Amino acid sequence: MALTGMLVVALIAGGAGGLAGGLIAGSSAQEAVPEPQGPTMNEPPPEAPQRDPDTIAGVAQRVSPSVVSIRSADRRVMGGGSGFVIDGNYVVTNDHVSTELEQDGILVEYSDGSLSEATVVGADPSSDLSVLTLADPIDVEPLQFGDSEQVIVGDEVIAIGAPLGYSGTVTQGIISAVNRPVSSGDGPEASRFYALQTDAAINPGNSGGPLVDTQGRVIGVNSMIVTMGYAGETAGNIGLGFAIPSLEVERVVQRLIENGEATYADIGAEIDIDSPVAGAVIADGPGAVERGGAAEGAGLRSGDVIIVFDGRPVNSGQELLAMLRDRSPGDEVEIDYERDGERETTTMTLDSTD
């Protein structure tokens, strides 16, 4: 399902259904560079057969205790997802998971069956991320973030979560693509980002669970899938899953913990998301270009079509919004745009969504 360069995919909260629920080591001749130290992980259960920590089974043994399943405190409420513990006993999950459950109370279950009530510290629909705090946390090792910018196609990855309510499920695959622009829809509350694409089996209920590398570091948060549903119903995994890259997750999570909300770079103009024109079209009408904003300062006006943003081609308005997720307020970027058939270039200092 393609929409002018932006892949529109299904969210994967368990039981909700449809579109709304759904290492580099080097050496020199003089001195060897030490290999990077791996993350601190849980010890495997003493009663379990032991596996080397650098195997898929070994990583799963050591990561799984820090992965939780998330459901409503009211058993009558369907849906749910996954999450994982980070420093400070915070749990990271998807916004579309916590939003569906928050009204009736959120319950978190660890891999050993321990339960804790949870409350939302902060949530951000545009990044599809949410942070929970636990009332009764247990002692598990917090998962550590890896560097998603070092991930390449073909790297092995492991997804852990609770697809279809089956907690502690582990699936394995590779990174199929990087920097894949995806969106959960067309509205202002839709999430948009450049995703890590994986063929590891991801299904409803995997939402918010970690995608880890072979050292057990979180390199993404599972969020969306493409599915072959019929009549609006999701049909599950077909090998096209998408995760929010860890670098974006870290930025957003820090802002949510500190402020309860996240702020992003903004161009200070309304983008016509529905325009069929290739590129990002600045909408018509009064107020479409904010007075004193970044776009006005750069000389842009209604009807201009942004075709290159900071050296990257722009195919649609949604794609530009995803590109802005990689930038920070105050960044200076070069923009190519078309006006009345003529191509021009300008420099813009990005605003904040505040």
Side-chain angles (χ1 to χ4, degrees), residues 246-278:
S246 59
L247 287 186
E248 178 169 353
V249 176
E250 282 192 279
R251 287 195 297 264
V252 174
V253 164
Q254 182 177 359
R255 293 168 183 167
L256 291 178
I257 291 173
E258 292 176 352
N259 307 313
E261 59 184 4
T263 58
Y264 299 98
D266 186 67
I267 67 167
E270 181 182 348
I271 301 298
D272 185 357
I273 298 296
D274 299 321
S275 174
V277 176

Side-chain angles (χ1 to χ4, degrees), residues 65-300:
S66 302
V67 179
V68 299
S69 58
I70 301 172
R71 65 175 190 264
S72 174
D74 185 346
R75 282 289 193 177
R76 297 171 296 178
V77 177
M78 302 299 291
S82 307
F84 57 96
V85 177
I86 61 170
D87 284 332
N89 289 310
Y90 292 113
V91 167
V92 175
T93 187
N94 284 143
D95 170 73
H96 75 262
V97 171
S98 65
T99 297
E100 292 291 325
L101 305 176
E102 188 173 12
Q103 181 175 350
D104 297 295
I106 300 173
L107 198 63
V108 163
E109 182 175 359
Y110 290 89
S111 61
D112 68 353
S114 299
L115 298 173
S116 174
E117 294 181 350
T119 56
V120 177
V121 174
D124 179 44
S126 65
S127 66
D128 196 22
L129 289 168
S130 177
V131 178
L132 312 179
T133 186
L134 304 177
D136 299 296
I138 67 172
D139 186 19
V140 295
E141 290 290 346
L143 296 190
Q144 298 178 27
F145 289 107
D147 186 351
S148 53
E149 288 192 349
Q150 297 301 312
V151 173
I152 63 172
V153 172
D155 280 347
E156 280 191 305
V157 290
I158 306 162
I160 306 178
L164 305 178
Y166 294 102
S167 60
T169 297
V170 177
T171 55
Q172 180 260 351
I174 63 168
I175 293 294
S176 305
V178 297
N179 294 323
R180 183 74 79 192
V182 297
S183 170
S184 63
D186 300 329
E189 292 299 305
S191 54
R192 302 176 179 91
F193 51 87
Y194 277 84
L196 297 177
Q197 180 181 327
T198 180
D199 70 347
I202 295 174
N203 285 286
N206 273 118
S207 279
L211 188 71
V212 303
D213 62 16
T214 53
Q215 291 192 354
R217 300 171 301 192
V218 178
I219 50 102
V221 174
N222 300 314
S223 180
M224 303 178 185
I225 59 172
V226 171
T227 185
M228 300 292 288
Y230 175 75
E233 294 297 323
T234 57
N237 170 67
I238 60 170
L240 292 171
F242 302 93
I244 309 163
S246 59
L247 287 186
E248 178 169 353
V249 176
E250 282 192 279
R251 287 195 297 264
V252 174
V253 164
Q254 182 177 359
R255 293 168 183 167
L256 291 178
I257 291 173
E258 292 176 352
N259 307 313
E261 59 184 4
T263 58
Y264 299 98
D266 186 67
I267 67 167
E270 181 182 348
I271 301 298
D272 185 357
I273 298 296
D274 299 321
S275 174
V277 176
V281 180
I282 297 180
D284 291 324
V289 178
E290 297 174 12
R291 182 166 300 185
E296 185 181 69
L300 298 178

Side-chain angles (χ1 to χ4, degrees), residues 259-333:
N259 307 313
E261 59 184 4
T263 58
Y264 299 98
D266 186 67
I267 67 167
E270 181 182 348
I271 301 298
D272 185 357
I273 298 296
D274 299 321
S275 174
V277 176
V281 180
I282 297 180
D284 291 324
V289 178
E290 297 174 12
R291 182 166 300 185
E296 185 181 69
L300 298 178
R301 58 188 190 221
S302 292
D304 289 346
V305 183
I306 298 173
I307 55 176
V308 178
F309 178 85
D310 198 29
R312 302 170 70 178
V314 178
N315 296 306
S316 68
Q318 292 198 60
E319 194 164 310
L320 175 64
L321 295 177
M323 289 178 178
L324 284 167
R325 304 304 304 278
D326 293 333
R327 310 299 307 198
S328 298
D331 285 355
E332 188 174 275
V333 296

